[in-house]
Amino acid sequence: MLDELSQIEQNALIALKEIAQETELEQWHVTFLGRNSPLMRVFDQLGSLPKEERPAIGRKANEVKNTLEKAFSQTQERLHQIAIEQALQSEVSDISLPGRKVARGRLHPLTQTLRQISAIFAEMGFQVYRSRDVETDEYNFQLLNFPPHHPAREMQDSFYLDLPHSPDNPILLRTHTSPGQIRAMREFAALNPADPPPVRIILPGMCARYEQITARSEIQFQQVEGLAVGKSITFSDLKGTLTDFARRMFGGSVQSRFRASHFPFTEPSAEMDIECFVCGGVGCAVCKRSGWLEILGCGMVHPVVLQNGGYDPQVYSGFAFGMGIERIAMLRYGIEDIRYFYSNDIRFLEQFV
Ligand code: DAH
């Protein structure tokens, strides 16, 4: 049986030398080391051998097995190396070939516009405050001085969410960024309730209103709110800040004007227009022949709103403003339809480098 084992070993090693492919190597393994190979049959028979013969044959069988396994892995390694060398040799490099263009993404025009707006206000000392997208009726309306049956609440038809809430305080997607004013003031005031610190922030974010979608209105849109609260803030601070903003955003010579308006959370309230840069104020289709383009709403923070934010209206005053980012971007880039912003058409998006 020792001879038989030597024979098995020799046959296997000879067969191994012939092998040039990985599939053949697998077959070799089955033939010489597999469950039904002659070598494995020797192991199976060990138990039935005379006791004296068993150790020598067992030892020899193990040696053969080790030898074959080692030879197997060496061959495996050799075939692998050959495969790599062949692959390298067959690869032809043409170093004069021009490289492939890497597709580069770019920022969404609204993101670019928001960044410009933020940068301008940052230079004036305004920090960014991020408030929540989902609000309660209390913050979105009540604390901003909208009484329960105020017509503005009808005007801003809202997306109410089907979530557990108390009956008089439903949960909704915010209809404007103004509720962030209350959240921010309360957070600032909590730092030192006896003498709250001044506030100078902008609050950007997504808003939603349940409206007919047209070229001029979308159900989702972004706003930037602004809020400055301190001990001697006046309407001229408001005018100076926003006039400066308009010049930096739309060009140094742009004319602006403030018109009296109404919002529940500001008193007095105004809307700001800039001179139409399409016709230079003469009157055209873009400005609807008026010569002016409305860009934002603003006003002095209403005493009730200051109070709700934890700021004593006897001591503090402030101004606030709110603008639609889509509208600013449409004016800046001459975009005629607000629906382009959210329709993900690459031909539109590619134009804003
Ligand atoms: N929240 C108003 C809206 O969505 C915009 C606005 C107007 C915000 C006047 C203000 C403001 O802070 O003072 O139409």
Side-chain angles (χ1 to χ4, degrees):
M1 202 169 251
L2 287 173
D3 288 346
E4 194 189 328
L5 280 167
S6 301
Q7 194 61 49
I8 290 173
E9 180 177 355
Q10 223 180 348
N11 290 346
L13 292 177
I14 289 169
L16 196 59
K17 286 226 174 74
E18 311 279 292
I19 285 175
Q21 276 182 15
E22 279 176 328
T23 47
E24 290 170 13
L25 184 62
E26 277 163 36
Q27 187 50 49
W28 179 91
H29 195 273
V30 173
T31 311
F32 293 99
L33 284 164
R35 197 184 289 279
N36 292 316
S37 59
L39 178 60
M40 290 306 148
R41 257 179 278 129
V42 172
F43 280 104
D44 293 342
Q45 289 163 20
L46 274 182
S48 55
L49 288 178
K51 221 177 169 186
E52 328 75 70
E53 288 181 22
R54 259 183 243 164
I57 297 191
R59 203 179 312 122
K60 176 74 177 167
N62 270 319
E63 279 168 22
V64 173
K65 184 165 172 257
N66 288 339
T67 307
L68 295 189
E69 272 169 357
K70 208 166 149 203
F72 171 78
S73 21
Q74 283 166 354
T75 308
Q76 209 172 28
E77 180 60 22
R78 176 170 62 84
L79 293 182
H80 187 61
Q81 285 303 327
I82 291 172
I84 290 177
E85 276 159 29
Q86 281 172 348
L88 283 178
Q89 272 166 16
S90 67
E91 217 169 79
V92 183
S93 309
D94 177 358
I95 55 167
S96 67
L97 213 61
R100 284 198 193 94
K101 250 197 174 165
V102 178
R104 294 222 347 260
R106 56 194 74 176
L107 293 173
H108 192 280
L110 292 177
T111 307
Q112 294 185 31
T113 306
L114 174 58
R115 289 196 178 181
Q116 283 159 1
I117 296 171
S118 306
I120 292 170
F121 283 108
E123 284 179 4
M124 299 193 237
F126 285 75
Q127 287 178 288
V128 172
Y129 185 95
R130 293 228 165 246
S131 189
R132 54 189 73 184
D133 292 11
V134 177
E135 269 299 358
T136 60
D137 182 275
E138 183 188 20
Y139 277 86
N140 197 76
F141 296 120
Q142 296 168 37
L143 294 169
L144 289 169
N145 204 33
F146 287 77
H149 299 292
H150 192 283
R153 263 165 107 165
E154 254 95 35
M155 197 175 75
Q156 303 186 344
D157 277 351
S158 313
F159 286 106
Y160 286 94
L161 302 181
D162 197 7
L163 290 172
H165 60 85
S166 65
D168 54 354
N169 193 20
I171 295 164
L172 70 161
L173 302 183
R174 67 175 162 201
T175 62
H176 52 173
T177 43
S178 306
Q181 289 190 28
I182 303 284
R183 298 214 176 260
M185 277 193 281
R186 288 188 169 180
E187 196 176 318
F188 278 72
L191 297 171
N192 185 6
D195 186 23
V199 178
R200 215 189 303 168
I201 51 171
I202 56 169
L203 309 95
M206 191 65 83
C207 308
R209 287 182 201 174
Y210 191 35
E211 278 183 303
Q212 179 80 35
I213 299 176
T214 67
R216 318 201 119 245
S217 70
E218 253 285 2
I219 55 173
Q220 62 171 348
F221 53 94
Q222 295 179 54
Q223 288 190 338
V224 179
E225 191 85 9
L227 177 68
V229 179
K231 287 187 178 158
S232 54
I233 290 185
T234 66
F235 200 88
S236 32
D237 294 315
L238 163 84
K239 284 184 80 172
T241 304
L242 293 178
T243 305
D244 194 33
F245 162 73
R247 289 199 185 123
R248 296 198 202 193
M249 193 74 200
F250 296 102
S253 60
V254 75
Q255 294 292 314
S256 51
R257 72 172 184 188
F258 290 79
R259 273 179 297 109
S261 184
H262 175 78
F263 301 101
F265 37 88
T266 44
E267 182 58 37
S269 306
E271 276 166 328
M272 184 187 185
D273 300 334
I274 56 169
E275 184 191 42
C276 178
F277 40 73
V278 177
C279 61
V282 181
C284 68
V286 173
C287 59
K288 295 200 204 122
R289 319 255 152 242
S290 71
W292 296 93
L293 300 165
E294 183 197 323
I295 60 162
L296 54 82
C298 58
M300 298 305 289
V301 183
H302 196 288
V304 168
V305 174
L306 284 172
Q307 189 81 56
N308 289 341
Y311 283 77
D312 181 354
Q314 302 293 334
V315 181
Y316 291 88
S317 59
F319 68 78
F321 56 88
M323 66 187 97
I325 305 181
E326 288 82 0
R327 178 154 175 82
I328 304 280
M330 286 167 85
L331 294 175
R332 274 207 90 195
Y333 297 117
I335 298 165
E336 278 165 8
D337 194 319
I338 195 172
R339 289 169 290 196
Y340 286 128
F341 290 118
Y342 297 103
S343 55
N344 273 339
D345 187 331
I346 195 86
R347 293 167 302 176
F348 170 73
L349 297 171
E350 270 175 351
Q351 297 175 45
F352 304 93
V353 187

